[in-house]
Amino acid sequence: MNDRTTTASRRAFLRNGLMGGAAFAAAATTGSARAAGDPAITEVQDWNRYPGDGVDARPYGSPSSFEAHVVRKNVPWLTSDAVSSVNFTPLHELDGIITPSGLCFERHHGGIAEIDPAMHRLMINGMVDKPLVFSMADLKRFPRENRVYFLECAANSGMEWRGAQLNGCQYTHGMIHCVMYTGVPLKTILAEAGVKPEGKWLLAEGADASAMTRSIPMDKALDDCLVAFAMNGEALRPEQGYPLRLVVPGWEGNMWVKWLRRLEVGDQPWQQREETSKYTDLLASGKARRFTFLMDVKSVITNPSPQAPISHGKGPLVVSGLAWSGNGRIKRVDVTTDGGRNWHAARIDGPSLPKALHRFYYEFDWDGSELFLQSRAIDEQGFVQPTKDELRSARGSNSIYHNNGIQTWFVNKDGGIENVEIS
Amino acid sequence: GDGLHLKLGRLATEEEVAAWDIDIRPDGLGLPKGKGTVSHGMEIYDQNCASCHGDFGEGVGRWPVLAGGQGTLRADRPEKTIGSYWPYLSTVYDYVRRAMPFGNARSLSDDDVYALTAYLLYLNDVVTDEEFELSDRNFTDIRLPNEANFIEDDRTDEPFYAGKSEPCMTNCIPGKATIKMHAAILDVTPENADEDDQPAGGID
């Protein structure tokens, strides 16, 4: 069976299945006899009759063909060229806290560098006792750590500063992923070179065509940064920096330099393009904040959401979402169904790890009335996720970056959902 | 210093460091020897840059605008260019040499980049003489107009963060919520070609 027939029969099956279900429900409510029953049960299905693929068919497995819609998406009008652009993680289809590697959003400034790891080098130079060069084989001889962290683009939700614009959490919040990284603590590698006492800043540089550079304070470099070569148990994906990337927990994604090739120690920041022209936050006053490294406390309801309407009618409803903070763990998430008039503490389920995504649920009985769904996260340092109006009153609407305002989904009586702003 | 000292890796040679360490700081650290004039920069710009950035740095289509926009930073739609927004000239030299032209990075000589940087100063009215020559010797004398307008991160002073107060849980806002803005009305979300009007990536 080729893919085309698989898709066609799937659609036919879904259509018949849905109609059959409706007929079944109608029959049940009118008290008629339950005739033939559900064909999914009463008819022998192909997968119940014929053997499937053997163990030699899928040396590197892929998701079910029925999940073909769960993919990264881009928004062509956002940028001038797909090579220096961004795409979005399909948050509305995911659960738990770990993002599958193939769905992690991408942000490149010079496309995906395809690097032969045998030709990759990491250089340390500048204010060090001895400038060093490491091969990938060298780096894999250092003691390793495994850590789960979120990586959020500084521009995540940036298109929403002026109001509700994109219809779906994939687009409004999908410049984020959360994986387990394996790597060497940055401080271990820096110690090999010997950082001089006046070395207060670190420049990280990528090997790609944009030669991405960012200045990082030495305190952060020596705290929890990693030089990572693996994600979710396997080598980094090319689009995530294969063979080597920097991990800068809790800080804006731009600093997580991919295809990492050089670390330079200096006594002041370099004021590179990505920390002057870009990744600086213009305020209403005309002044601009720079070095806004930390990603603040934030959350979003991922399902239901505009791409995932409520299709099951009234009754039990699971509200599922994500919360995160660059300050550490999430302490609590509140959910409202009436646009912030009344809030209910949601349930955080699964690991609660610092600077990682947290999964929350709020279950309730939907009576079919209109809803204004919002979530509000509080982190372990006591910071409360602000509203978009609060952010705008402090900053104006031209900051581009660091929009962590509370998101509203309007649910209509049919279960259809829209990105809105409310008062 | 402290640490494991596993003696992994090897010493980097001077040639290796010189090949990769091309970054430049606002104080001029890292500037190579060289020079270039505005008029020479205009020739290089017309050949290598104008097809994306426009004849006068105004930008073609959605490609970045490099010049103009002075005095717009408090406007409803600010235009952030080298002249209106960037704080340091060193960033111009560094970024052009590092990453431009887009699709053919590292193809310009050090003198070419001095000339281009001089021309970008001219397009932004920071210098007005077409015979102006920028070099490693006069580079740090040049200041860009917006240097003083960058401030350090003070987000934790903002009202909603400063207090760290426990948020309201019940009867927080009077009246019913009303919609003041719809994403569906703006309608700029990519749509699936084979679906009616669901956002791309929607559940079919």
Side-chain angles (χ1 to χ4, degrees), chain B residues 150-161:
Chain B
F150 287 82
I151 61 172
E152 302 308 312
D153 184 1
D154 58 355
R155 280 176 290 171
T156 53
D157 295 339
E158 291 176 328
F160 38 87
Y161 288 141

Side-chain angles (χ1 to χ4, degrees), chain A residues 162 192 262 264 280 289, chain B residues 6 23 76 85 98 154:
Chain A
R162 288 175 171 274
E192 289 291 306
R262 195 168 67 91
E264 181 177 353
T280 51
R289 290 191 178 119
Chain B
L6 296 179
D23 51 71
D76 186 43
Y85 189 66
R98 171 182 303 280
D154 58 355

Side-chain angles (χ1 to χ4, degrees), chain A residues 190-217:
Chain A
L190 289 173
E192 289 291 306
V195 174
K196 291 183 185 296
E198 60 269 39
K200 298 300 180 197
W201 287 82
L202 187 69
L203 186 78
E205 181 177 82
D208 63 313
S210 77
M212 172 65 61
T213 37
R214 281 299 300 261
S215 303
I216 300 165

Side-chain angles (χ1 to χ4, degrees), chain A residues 122-377:
Chain A
L122 176 64
M123 180 185 289
I124 303 181
N125 73 306
M127 290 181 164
V128 292
D129 296 332
K130 39 180 189 174
L132 293 176
V133 171
F134 299 98
S135 67
M136 288 303 298
D138 293 333
L139 295 171
K140 291 182 177 177
R141 296 171 68 189
F142 284 102
R144 301 170 196 178
E145 288 184 353
N146 292 289
R147 296 286 185 274
V148 175
Y149 294 120
F150 76 80
L151 186 170
E152 184 183 18
C153 180
N156 199 21
S157 314
M159 298 82 78
E160 304 289 305
W161 269 108
R162 288 175 171 274
Q165 181 158 242
L166 289 164
N167 223 6
C169 70
Q170 179 169 16
Y171 303 107
T172 57
H173 290 76
M175 293 188 215
I176 192 167
H177 50 73
C178 184
V179 304
M180 177 175 280
Y181 294 97
T182 305
V184 182
L186 181 52
K187 64 184 173 210
T188 304
I189 294 171
L190 289 173
E192 289 291 306
V195 174
K196 291 183 185 296
E198 60 269 39
K200 298 300 180 197
W201 287 82
L202 187 69
L203 186 78
E205 181 177 82
D208 63 313
S210 77
M212 172 65 61
T213 37
R214 281 299 300 261
S215 303
I216 300 165
M218 188 58 72
D219 287 350
K220 179 66 174 179
L222 299 178
D223 179 16
D224 57 0
C225 293
L226 294 176
V227 173
F229 47 80
M231 60 192 285
N232 290 337
E234 62 179 354
L236 296 171
R237 293 291 169 92
E239 65 269 31
Q240 302 299 338
Y242 179 86
L244 198 65
R245 90 169 309 162
L246 198 60
V247 170
V248 191
W251 287 17
E252 60 188 15
N254 181 259
M255 306 179 77
W256 299 48
V257 173
K258 298 188 284 192
W259 311 292
L260 181 71
R261 76 169 186 189
R262 195 168 67 91
L263 299 163
E264 181 177 353
V265 177
D267 59 355
Q268 52 181 277
W270 280 260
Q271 308 286 355
Q272 296 279 287
R273 187 250 199 178
E274 306 292 323
E275 54 207 20
T276 55
S277 170
K278 308 297 177 188
Y279 305 98
T280 51
D281 312 346
L282 183 60
L283 304 173
S285 63
K287 302 266 184 189
R289 290 191 178 119
R290 65 180 162 195
F291 302 138
T292 46
F293 301 130
L294 192 124
M295 299 309 292
D296 284 309
V297 61
K298 189 168 175 179
S299 69
V300 65
I301 292 169
T302 53
N303 195 318
S305 61
Q307 295 159 288
I310 303 171
S311 55
H312 54 57
K314 300 176 187 177
L317 173 66
V318 174
V319 172
S320 174
L322 292 167
W324 61 95
S325 172
N327 289 307
R329 291 179 177 80
I330 292 296
K331 187 172 69 181
R332 195 178 89 211
V333 181
D334 301 327
V335 168
T336 176
T337 61
D338 60 8
R341 276 64 188 161
N342 298 282
W343 295 86
H344 317 274
R347 190 167 60 80
I348 292 173
D349 189 81
S352 174
L353 301 168
K355 305 171 189 177
L357 292 184
H358 290 56
R359 174 63 58 179
F360 68 84
Y361 298 105
Y362 174 66
E363 295 96 350
F364 74 106
D365 208 47
W366 184 43
D367 62 4
S369 61
E370 293 180 345
L371 305 173
F372 293 94
L373 290 176
Q374 298 177 335
S375 61
R376 176 179 68 191

Side-chain angles (χ1 to χ4, degrees), chain B residues 89 92-93 96 112-122 134 139:
Chain B
L89 189 62
V92 180
Y93 191 103
V96 170
D112 287 347
V113 180
Y114 274 110
L116 260 182
T117 305
Y119 184 58
L120 288 167
L121 287 172
Y122 181 81
L134 184 68
F139 193 94

